[in-house]
Amino acid sequence: SDVLKKESITQLEAEQTRLLEKHPELSGRIEIQSLLGSPNSAIKKASENADVVVMGTKGASGLKELLIGSVASNVLSDVDCPVLAIPDAVSTTTPKRILFAADDQCLSDGILPEELVAVANNAQAEILILNIVGEGELAHVGSNPEVNTQPITTFEGVSHSVHFIEDKDINSGINRFIEDNPVDMLAMISRKNDLFSRLRYFLCLSR
């Protein structure tokens, strides 16, 4: 275990050096830590006093793979702070269009998560609020294509538009929406015992 830990620290120091060469403004602000154990338990322990967890999602080939059965999805259920998941080979940039998959409760409350508003305002980004309804139910939400993109006044303090789409599957609905509306980042919020219960995180996407 001592050998593994030493090798791990060596790799982390090399990564720290690489990051500082690329971002010298981070000097004195990067701390490395090596923990032995499963990724889930190690990340949970390391994130006890963290404001956000940033992690890669190497190998995931689609939205469903990113959300279900991956290390990232398991971390979501274990940590108490937002998770920023970045797929490998993705082209990252300052987000200008953020998709927020909102459930009925969020629409009813008319309040966006503070972390999401902070990210959007800092990047001067627009938030596209998407609510996915069951097939044949769109007429019952009192919306139409001409109204869907108009801001709801209760979502204050950030540039936004509201959209609805019919689909029996959340992953499918999000994918279909993104195909027609390219975004830089996907955000979701978790609530216990609902369809979004495992999905509380920000996910960087390529445009």
Side-chain angles (χ1 to χ4, degrees):
S1 60
D2 290 341
V3 174
L4 291 176
K5 191 173 184 66
K6 184 177 180 179
E7 291 180 352
S8 174
I9 292 176
T10 298
Q11 293 176 5
L12 288 172
E13 289 175 340
E15 182 65 15
Q16 182 182 40
T17 299
R18 186 188 69 81
L19 286 173
L20 290 175
E21 289 176 350
K22 188 175 182 179
H23 301 285
E25 69 277 10
L26 295 179
S27 178
R29 299 169 60 187
I30 299 178
E31 176 184 337
I32 62 175
Q33 185 177 12
S34 177
L35 298 174
L36 297 180
S38 68
N40 295 344
S41 61
I43 293 173
K44 181 178 181 180
K45 182 176 181 179
S47 67
E48 289 178 352
N49 297 312
D51 296 316
V52 62
V53 171
V54 181
M55 60 186 303
T57 55
K58 186 175 182 180
S61 59
L63 181 60
K64 185 174 182 179
E65 287 76 14
L66 290 170
L67 302 183
I68 301 173
S70 65
V71 173
S73 69
N74 292 328
V75 169
L76 294 175
S77 62
D78 290 337
V79 302
D80 298 320
C81 61
V83 176
L84 174 61
I86 306 177
D88 62 333
V90 76
S91 176
T92 57
T93 183
T94 301
K96 293 303 178 185
R97 287 164 58 87
I98 301 174
L99 176 60
F100 176 58
D103 59 9
D104 293 339
Q105 182 176 334
C106 178
L107 289 182
S108 177
D109 294 342
I111 301 174
L112 293 170
E114 293 181 1
E115 301 93 338
L116 176 58
V117 172
V119 169
N121 285 336
N122 184 62
Q124 296 184 327
E126 175 191 7
I127 298 178
L128 286 69
I129 303 171
L130 176 65
N131 183 237
I132 302 168
V133 300
E135 294 179 344
E137 296 181 6
L138 191 57
H140 301 298
V141 298
S143 61
N144 60 63
E146 295 181 356
V147 177
N148 283 350
T149 58
Q150 298 303 310
I152 292 179
T153 55
T154 49
F155 290 110
E156 298 177 346
V158 66
S159 174
H160 70 276
S161 57
V162 181
H163 309 261
F164 297 90
I165 190 171
E166 288 186 358
D167 205 298
K168 61 183 179 180
D169 180 75
I170 291 177
N171 298 320
S172 173
I174 292 173
N175 275 320
R176 286 175 48 221
F177 184 84
I178 291 176
E179 287 177 359
D180 297 327
N181 304 272
V183 297
D184 304 305
M185 180 179 287
L186 167 66
M188 294 180 173
I189 189 169
S190 172
R191 305 191 196 281
K192 293 183 178 180
N193 303 320
D194 70 3
L195 293 175
F196 288 80
S197 61
R198 291 174 61 85
L199 313 179
R200 179 183 52 79
Y201 73 119
F202 301 128
L203 169 67
C204 285
L205 303 169
S206 59
R207 296 193 67 175

